[in-house]
Amino acid sequence: MVSSGTGPRRVTIDDVAEAAGVSRQTVSRALNDKGEIGVSTKQRVLDAALALGYRPSRFARGLVRQDTFSVGLVIPDLLNPFFTEVAAAALDAARGRGWHVVVYDTGDRVEEERGTLEVIASQVDAVVGYLSLPEDEIARLTRGLPVVLIDRKHRTERFSSIRIDGEAGVHAAIRHLVAAGHRRIGMLDHPERSEPSVRHEWFDAAMAACGLDAGSVARADQSVEGGEQALQELLAVHPELTAVFIFNDIIAFGALRAARRLGRSVPGDLAVIGFDGLRLGALVEPPLTTVALDTRGLGALAVEQAARLLTGSGPLHADELVVGAELRVRESG
């Protein structure tokens, strides 16, 4: 990668030619082992390409149109409808550009993610998606490819990232519950790490802003079954709760099922609010109130940033790479 002044951009064949002091045609001959140039010149070109981190696009070598790229979309769990919706949005945005997209499901496993990156580095022109490995390892495995991280803050200019900001939506959700008379509000968090999630932090801040003490919290595996079990555990310890905010809609679906089993009507005895805005939320009974993310905007932004990095145009700035959320009120809360 080289710097464009506003962030990293893809190294081009012209950069290699300038560094080696040769023409574009000579760089092409050297990289394609045409044998029409001297050994020392070829080595100088190869050394310059290696030093700059140049990686020629498979498609720029004449396989298809030169404005066509291939993108690797890495998703942790395609069985989770949220990630499926993000993937569909990214595919739609890429299709509009005439790009090829290869979708990889890592099963939310580190070893699978590592193996995926090792494989796709030689098959695509950019990587977009949810990655959990350390940045230095991602950089080593992707070997100079543009990388756009989703829902993860990047720490070096080597990467770009799309940030999810749902704080305003969570505040709106808690204000909505308070306006309906709720004061004893709990939360089901996701135990991804030992510390509270960012959504838990937003929940605590929203409770404090409404003048309420920190709510009681239980942790739930990211599944319907996890939500079912976690709500049962939470209510067993805190039966006084009249409302619960939940890490995501999938867990909330399980909470709705648990509430029915426990004989708690929703929203009469227990108001339930999820997070993500899944389309399935409108189909469950009762329809789920949720803090809805713009999944289409999320996928489109990721592809737009990848396009800018691939073509060397100015990348979107950090404040343009934020996807917000808003409260979508239905019948559950």
Side-chain angles (χ1 to χ4, degrees), residues 1 8-11 53 55 69-72 99 117 120-121 124-129 131 138 142-149 157-160 302 305-312:
M1 287 291 179
R9 67 171 176 83
R10 187 183 180 93
V11 176
R55 179 181 177 278
F69 294 103
S70 178
V71 175
W99 288 7
L117 293 181
I120 67 176
V124 301
D125 297 292
V127 175
V128 170
L131 301 175
I138 296 173
T142 54
R143 290 178 282 177
L145 292 176
V147 175
V148 181
L149 305 171
E157 287 194 355
R158 169 70 179 76
F159 303 107
S160 180
Q305 184 72 335
R308 289 173 177 251
L309 296 175
L310 282 168
T311 59

Side-chain angles (χ1 to χ4, degrees), residues 28 47 85 113 134 140 143 148 161 163 257 279 286 322:
S28 178
D47 289 344
E85 289 186 15
E113 180 182 318
R140 177 178 61 80
R143 290 178 282 177
V148 181
S161 58
R163 184 168 63 89
R257 195 158 70 179
R279 297 177 186 178
V322 180

Side-chain angles (χ1 to χ4, degrees), residues 2-293:
V2 298
S3 174
S4 64
T6 56
R9 67 171 176 83
R10 187 183 180 93
V11 176
T12 68
I13 193 171
D14 292 316
D15 295 320
V16 178
E18 181 178 356
V22 297
S23 67
R24 295 176 83 257
Q25 290 78 10
T26 298
V27 172
S28 178
R29 293 189 185 102
L31 295 178
N32 288 287
D33 198 23
K34 292 297 186 180
E36 301 166 356
I37 57 175
V39 174
S40 62
T41 300
K42 177 181 178 180
Q43 190 59 52
R44 191 163 76 251
V45 170
L46 296 178
D47 289 344
L50 180 62
L52 291 172
Y54 175 68
R55 179 181 177 278
S57 164
R58 298 183 305 118
F59 298 99
R61 292 199 293 264
L63 295 178
V64 294
R65 301 192 323 267
Q66 289 192 3
D67 62 346
T68 301
F69 294 103
S70 178
V71 175
L73 178 63
V74 182
I75 298 295
D77 183 10
L78 282 172
L79 292 178
N80 184 325
F82 174 76
F83 295 121
T84 304
E85 289 186 15
V86 173
L91 286 166
D92 188 52
R95 189 181 302 114
R97 295 176 177 274
W99 288 7
H100 300 271
V101 178
V102 185
V103 181
Y104 300 86
D105 183 348
T106 65
D108 208 15
R109 296 187 295 272
V110 171
E111 284 304 317
E112 189 68 25
E113 180 182 318
R114 185 176 289 116
T116 293
L117 293 181
E118 287 176 344
V119 168
I120 67 176
S122 60
Q123 298 179 347
V124 301
D125 297 292
V127 175
V128 170
Y130 294 82
L131 301 175
S132 61
L133 290 169
E135 286 194 12
D136 58 348
E137 188 169 4
I138 296 173
R140 177 178 61 80
L141 292 170
T142 54
R143 290 178 282 177
L145 292 176
V147 175
V148 181
L149 305 171
I150 299 179
D151 198 15
R152 172 179 172 179
K153 183 178 181 180
H154 67 286
R155 301 184 181 280
T156 68
E157 287 194 355
R158 169 70 179 76
F159 303 107
S160 180
S161 58
I162 312 298
R163 184 168 63 89
I164 291 175
D165 185 3
E167 185 168 14
V170 174
H171 277 255
I174 301 306
R175 287 196 304 269
H176 172 74
L177 291 174
V178 170
H182 296 283
R183 296 294 182 274
R184 297 181 296 278
I185 306 169
M187 179 184 177
L188 298 186
D189 196 13
H190 173 45
E192 189 174 83
R193 302 177 180 86
S194 58
E195 69 272 12
S197 68
V198 172
R199 296 177 193 183
H200 185 172
E201 294 173 2
W202 293 338
F203 170 72
D204 284 347
M207 292 285 283
C210 290
L212 301 177
D213 295 334
S216 303
V217 177
R219 296 200 169 203
D221 290 336
Q222 196 165 194
S223 65
V224 173
E225 294 75 17
E228 200 169 0
Q229 179 179 343
L231 185 68
Q232 290 178 190
E233 293 172 355
L234 182 64
L235 292 180
V237 179
H238 298 283
E240 75 279 3
L241 295 178
T242 63
V244 60
F245 169 70
I246 301 180
F247 180 86
N248 67 20
D249 289 353
I250 289 293
I251 298 173
F253 297 157
L256 290 175
R257 195 158 70 179
R260 285 194 296 271
R261 180 181 295 117
L262 295 170
R264 292 229 185 178
S265 66
V266 177
D269 298 325
L270 184 72
V272 176
I273 296 182
F275 188 105
D276 277 348
L278 296 182
R279 297 177 186 178
L280 285 174
L283 304 179
V284 297
E285 186 59 39
L288 181 67
T289 295
T290 182
V291 178
L293 290 169

